[in-house]
Amino acid sequence: MKITAVFVLLFSSSVLSVNYEAGKPYRYKYSTSVVLNEPTSDGQVPAKGSVGFELDTEVDISVVWQDSENKLVKLQVLESKVGNAVPRKATDNVFQSGTDPVSKQPVYVHLKNDKITELYASMEESIASLNIKRGLASLLQVQEQNGKAKEVDASGECSVDYTVTELNIIKTKCSASCERPREGEFSHPRKMLGVDVESSITTTFDLTDDKSIIKSVSSEESHAVRLVIRQSVASATLAKQSMEFVSSGEATATLEGTTLEDAVKSLGDDVISQSPITQLLDQQCSSGCRPAAEVVAEVREELKTEYLAKIESPNAYLKVLQAFRNTGKDSLVDILMSEDNSEIVPQLVDIAAVTQTTASHEAMMEILDFKNSDMVDILDRYLVSVSFLNHPSDDVLQKLLDSLQEDIENEKVREAVALALGALAHTYCMQGKCDAQIVQDTKTWFIEALENFEEDIDKVIYLRAMSNSRFEDTVPLIAKYAQNGQTSKIQVTALETLKVFDSSLITDEIKQILNAIYHQNHRNYESAARGNAADLILSNNPSKQVITNLILSLTDTDNKELTAFLQRKIKDLLNRNDELRSQLQHNDVITDPMIFNYDVLAKNGMSVSYSNVMADTTDALTTYALDMLMSKSGIMRQSYMDIFMSAGNDTLTVTSVGLFATGLDSFLGEADEADDNDATSGIGLSILDVHMRPFLFFNGYSEMMSMVWSMSADNIITCLAGNLLLHDHSQRIPLQNGVNIDNQLRSCLSLDLSGSVEVSLWDRTSLSLVANSGSVGMKGSMSADAGFSSASVEISADAEAIMQFTTSVDFYDDPVKVCLQMSQPAFDFRQFVKKIENTPSAEKPYEVEKSRNDYVPEIGRASCRERV
């Protein structure tokens, strides 16, 4: 028994790094600082221009109780003072001398095998003071062995890696591994709409020669937060800690007790257990925390409809959003129903929809009635905004699902609800919550509705909803409707839905269906369905034989426009895909005269397909793709203008604008036998991979003729207008020194998508225009609040731009002429930075501001063709 006890004692001594003498006080000089600034390109935090604060004190450390595994270490802070972390002129100094921000009440740290498990502190200890002592306690954890470990300190429970050298011990902490309470934190599940956080935490220990105590310890911790798509929108913090041994005193009495519980009990009833992890400070409403009604009144003018897509609108939106998130349900209802706000109700609905609090959801549900046809426009605004929530609640999804199951009579509202529900279900899946009951219920309803509803419009609605939900196991079902849909509209919609799915889900069985549709193996298909099938085939890793079969199909003279479209699609693919081009050349496909000959390549249709780079910066790559498929008679059947952005290993379809026209060929004598649609024309729209409800210019012969006789290019119709929440990021970073870093970022896209169509039967010309006007406003901040001092970096940015897409067709004479134009005038991206230092006792904060403009040059593209 004695041998075993000795062995345990020796083994424990070999792994424990330090061995403070029980009852003996060891005095250390302690200093910690926090500075904030914009980071350099390599993530460093420059001292010049930084704001922050520094705390200096002395602390007595003593072991007041211990056994073979446990230690209770007393930390006693002496006099402390706070001051500038960066040299500042006297007139700019907000720190008062003689302050003593940290209480002198002791805290007790429980270490088990030299790892912190909990703290004990007086109930009267303030959170701010206790946090600083948590930071001090973090420096007591050290081990004298190489290797990885899990430790709890002010940052949370984190993975650490020890490197032991002859001179010192280096501990590296992985910030991303830290587990801690994250209530109130959220970010966008799409990498593209989030932030990059670059962190580094290193602590260096220097022990005394006999390795009995810590001689000195220093730590350096940095966090740089950047917007993924605009790396210049960034802020960073650098925190330092240093503790240096000064002296030791005479040993005093230790705590009585045979167990740890007995020792703690002897400290008194007012000493309670506390977590080692930093706590949030009680949020006090500052001068910037004003009633929402007051904020709305201040920006009421900027929220009017005429300011949509202008810089004023998103900036006003972000101000009101912050106010709404601190407002109760009744106050929100009063604001939305106020007569003073009658002109801006749609914009207020945009904001309330994305406030994402229980109060805001209850307020909206009290006001909205999904069965009231008089509320269609307001419901549409609400549902479009809701589609972009980045941390939706079950309550929102459940309400939308319940509304669908209660059978909404209005077709527009029914489709908007289904699309919004699909988008939110996909957000859940991106967050790893695809197994949530509400998501499974949504998928079940979508499948049952698609299978059981008999009306074509309902099948189209739920196929579109599936393009937003992207449930992977629905791909075979969607493919079935692409192949066997009762109408061409269902077939085309199903094929468009398949385009949103990852290539890994387009299996060989699905590819066989797509080839059967394009090659019309079992039935005839409308040209738009065949064009979409060909697009899917080419976009999903086509084999050499598949490409060969598609090229051979170009000899078909029955539909010159489809073959011209496919030829240009293949050419564009080979220009972009070096691997495929090399593969085909290696297998002599491109040089085969039976495939690549004049008869095949000389198709002179007007249909086009091409892609190119729009902008290539260090932050992101922006490309565009244009597909336009003409009908046999020379009328545009469908066209898509897609803009893609790639950044942070993520690719996002920023916008996709599609013009479509069906059932028109019969008026010009060349009807497509498989086109069973009524005369219809409109715009389909997708924003940030979320599909919107299509907007129709006309539906039916009478509406078409009315448009032909009355509409001109001057009659601009708004297809979609409103404000959308893009970025919504809230993050707390508890530093190792006990100070909380709060990181906030929000941005708003204000847009006005308008279009016009002019058709002249007299001149036999047509002109269509799509104008996508938009502005973006962004507000972000990184702040450090220690209670006794605070510092922050506030960043805002905005821009305003317009992109126009024009299609001109002249079919008066042969050859028919088509001209496509895309233009984007130059614009400025403005960025503003404000840095602040403050203390509760300061008469006014120290503030410094700067700004810069980035010029974005104009973009113009044109393609004109004629068909013989």
Side-chain angles (χ1 to χ4, degrees), residues 131-251:
N131 280 344
I132 295 299
K133 296 172 184 178
R134 288 181 166 111
L136 264 166
S138 300
L139 298 181
L140 298 181
Q141 288 187 111
V142 60
Q143 69 179 38
E144 205 176 349
Q145 291 179 333
N146 287 311
K148 300 182 183 298
K150 275 276 192 181
E151 293 182 351
V152 180
D153 62 13
S155 304
E157 185 178 7
C158 312
S159 297
V160 298
D161 191 3
Y162 281 94
T163 302
V164 180
T165 70
E166 292 183 1
L167 299 177
N168 49 39
I169 301 171
I170 301 173
K171 177 166 69 173
T172 304
K173 183 187 297 182
C174 178
S175 177
S177 71
C178 294
E179 299 176 9
R180 54 183 173 76
R182 295 181 182 271
E183 185 178 355
E185 295 185 48
F186 46 81
S187 189
H188 205 287
R190 286 300 299 257
K191 176 70 174 176
M192 182 77 71
L193 297 175
V195 299
D196 280 330
V197 181
E198 183 180 352
S199 301
S200 174
I201 311 173
T202 303
T203 306
T204 303
F205 297 87
D206 184 12
L207 305 184
T208 54
D209 293 339
D210 61 359
K211 301 187 185 307
S212 61
I213 67 169
I214 297 171
K215 182 179 180 181
S216 66
V217 57
S218 62
S219 77
E220 190 167 297
E221 175 175 3
S222 65
H223 302 274
V225 182
R226 301 178 188 274
L227 195 66
V228 170
I229 60 174
R230 192 80 181 183
Q231 296 280 304
S232 63
V233 179
S235 53
T237 184
L238 174 65
K240 295 182 178 181
Q241 287 177 281
S242 67
M243 191 171 73
E244 186 173 352
F245 177 68
V246 177
S247 63
S248 60
E250 294 295 326

Side-chain angles (χ1 to χ4, degrees), residues 380-608:
D380 205 40
R381 290 289 284 264
Y382 170 77
L383 293 166
V384 168
S385 292
V386 160
S387 300
F388 294 89
L389 298 183
N390 71 340
H391 55 285
S393 67
D394 285 6
D395 291 341
V396 176
L397 276 77
Q398 191 65 58
K399 176 60 180 179
L400 296 180
L401 179 58
D402 291 345
S403 299
L404 278 178
Q405 293 174 336
E406 291 170 3
D407 190 18
I408 302 169
E409 292 186 6
N410 187 283
E411 178 186 311
K412 292 181 179 180
V413 176
R414 189 163 72 252
E415 181 166 7
V417 171
L419 288 168
L421 180 58
L424 294 179
H426 181 56
T427 298
Y428 262 51
C429 288
M430 286 191 291
Q431 294 172 333
K433 299 191 292 185
C434 228
D435 292 333
Q437 188 61 49
I438 184 60
V439 176
Q440 293 303 308
D441 291 345
T442 296
K443 179 168 65 176
T444 300
W445 175 254
F446 280 6
I447 293 172
E448 291 178 351
L450 179 61
E451 293 280 68
N452 297 330
F453 286 140
E454 297 181 358
E455 295 293 329
D456 286 354
I457 184 58
D458 287 310
K459 293 187 181 298
V460 168
I461 285 174
Y462 284 100
L463 283 169
R464 286 176 180 155
M466 287 180 177
S467 72
N468 278 350
S469 65
R470 305 188 183 202
F471 295 128
E472 295 182 357
D473 49 359
T474 62
V475 170
L477 177 63
I478 297 168
K480 182 187 81 170
Y481 279 90
Q483 184 176 29
N484 302 317
Q486 293 302 306
T487 64
S488 60
K489 188 172 185 178
I490 292 174
Q491 297 161 8
V492 170
T493 304
L495 287 162
E496 289 174 343
T497 298
L498 287 176
K499 290 181 180 181
V500 307
F501 290 96
D502 187 81
S503 294
S504 62
L505 301 173
I506 307 302
T507 61
D508 290 340
E509 291 76 10
I510 304 298
K511 291 177 181 178
Q512 289 178 6
I513 292 174
L514 297 174
N515 278 283
I517 293 172
Y518 173 74
H519 292 290
Q520 303 188 105
N521 293 345
H522 307 296
R523 58 185 288 189
N524 290 335
Y525 290 91
E526 195 242 336
S527 59
R530 296 182 65 198
N532 283 332
D535 190 6
L536 278 160
I537 292 169
L538 292 170
S539 301
N540 289 281
N541 307 313
S543 66
K544 169 195 166 184
Q545 187 59 51
V546 167
I547 292 284
T548 302
N549 291 340
L550 288 175
I551 294 172
L552 287 172
S553 75
L554 298 180
T555 58
D556 179 17
T557 59
D558 181 58
N559 194 330
K560 291 183 178 180
E561 289 301 336
L562 182 59
T563 54
F565 173 78
L566 181 58
Q567 176 199 340
R568 286 153 192 160
K569 195 78 179 174
I570 294 173
K571 181 180 178 182
D572 183 61
L573 175 65
L574 294 179
N575 286 337
R576 290 183 288 110
N577 193 323
D578 294 336
E579 182 180 348
L580 180 60
R581 183 171 65 251
S582 175
Q583 178 189 10
L584 294 180
Q585 288 174 334
H586 180 73
N587 288 281
D588 299 324
V589 175
I590 289 181
T591 57
D592 189 341
M594 292 296 293
I595 299 174
F596 276 77
N597 56 56
Y598 180 80
D599 182 56
V600 172
L601 300 178
K603 302 301 181 185
N604 202 24
M606 297 178 296
S607 299
V608 297

